[in-house]
Amino acid sequence: ALVSKPDVLLLDEPTNHLDASAVEWLQNWLDHYDGALVLITHDRYVLDRITTRMVEINNGEARKYFGNYRQFLQQKVEQEQSEASTKKKFQGVLRKELAWLRQGPKARSTKQKARIQRIAEMQAQPKKAAKAKLEMNSLSRRIGKIAIEAEGVWLSHFINGNNVDLLCDFTYSFSPEDRVGIIGPNGSGKSTLLDLIAGKILPTSGVIKLGETVHIGYLDQHTNDLNQGSGLTRKVIDFVEEAALRINHGGKQITASQLLEKFLFPPSQQHSPLLKLSGGEKRRLALCKMLIQAPNVLLLDEPTNDLDIQTLSVLEDFLEDFKGCVIVVSHDRYFLDRTIDRIFNFEHGRLCRYEGNYSRFLYQKTLKERNKEIKERNKIVKISQQKSGEKKELNPKNNSRRLSFKEAKELKELDLKLPLLEKEKISLEKQITDGNEDISKLSLQLAELIESIQLYEDRWIELSELSESAK
């Protein structure tokens, strides 16, 4: 689609199944694309970065908004406030008119007839059907002090006749409060790791132990559960009732049918075959079946694929309040920023640990790569000096540009500014996590701050490299 250099590019969920680095590449490519782009996506960072207009389809109505995702949210809030105010005024006028009508006019003048007709027209105006909201509540099940323990886990596979290590010597104790993100290139072994934890496959060596009270809920990438048994010919209600007919929810017994309604499956749709469901509906149904089993450990493999943004927001809020361990494989950077506080990145078969969310991981990884480059450069310089017998470093002054006074000053300012911005970022994340009422405003501020930090870090790296090469 891209190499054909079209005048108009239509992309329907292009980030699905791409790893994070591929999504970032695609985002940068689209940002410089000269043609017209029409994009359907749930990736909110992509929407925020490359779109200049938004069209929201809701209840059969398409509404246009100017700007990117951030500006769309701001306009949406203002629009809803305006509509609520208009509705309140309309109801106030209608109440007055009805009160007048109930008094009974003494004379039947033309003016009074016109007024009665106007009241009838106001009453007959179509009411906008309120869009049903997804309800995703945690069905609690007690979890002990230990969730999952992995000790010295290795996993090897034979690929093209060669024994390849997908996972090397992984040791980690997952706590009941853990929010862990697993990332890495496609094919690196992310889904395989979840299969190992779920007990679907066994490690080549090492052990994985589950706590005695652990009950795993597993949402796999391709919702394979839908294809088991009698497959896609099963009815929606039958699929959920395979897990449980009814559950105890907040001291009240609710049926599988009632739970399905909370997941936006009306009774009329509950007896439809699975094959008639859209990709997003299948994903929502798989979530419903998983949660009816009241798990206390969630394994989520690319949970954001095919879900709309409203459902994603509900899922993110649910995970924030979930009383148990959450392990997520995802390429959705926004989702990872909102839901996890520790990352394991697949790097040459080893899981490297990073504290913080995805944006924090990118910052740490940039610093790590920069330090590695500096060490490699110094090593080459040292070897070259030894070979030439010189005591001075290579890269003489006439071959390298020194920092100007202005650039040196800018570098010092960035050294002071970046730690302050990181503190501000941590503070905003804490306010969001603590459930601050103005969460939409805080989320927008956080997105802007992350973007600023990225720009400042890029500039800092550029100036630091100049400083190093000029020494």
Side-chain angles (χ1 to χ4, degrees), residues 20 22 32 75 85 102 105 115 130 153 209 246 250 278 303 319 323 331 339-340 381 390 397 404 406 413 433:
H32 295 91
Q75 293 173 61
S85 175
R102 278 194 293 269
R115 191 169 183 179
V153 176
K209 297 178 184 176
R246 58 180 64 244
S278 68
L319 293 178
K323 303 296 188 294
H331 65 269
T339 57
I340 60 102
V381 167
E390 297 175 358
K397 292 179 184 177
S404 67
K406 187 177 178 182
E413 288 174 352
T433 306

Side-chain angles (χ1 to χ4, degrees), residues 365-381 460-462 464-466 468-469:
K365 198 164 187 293
T366 302
L367 288 182
K368 187 177 176 181
E369 288 172 354
R370 179 186 168 275
N371 290 335
K372 186 179 177 182
E373 285 174 8
I374 291 172
K375 285 180 182 177
E376 288 293 326
R377 190 183 301 131
N378 290 340
K379 186 179 177 181
I380 292 168
V381 167
W460 180 83
I461 290 168
E462 182 186 344
S464 297
E465 286 176 349
L466 274 176
E468 286 291 330
S469 64

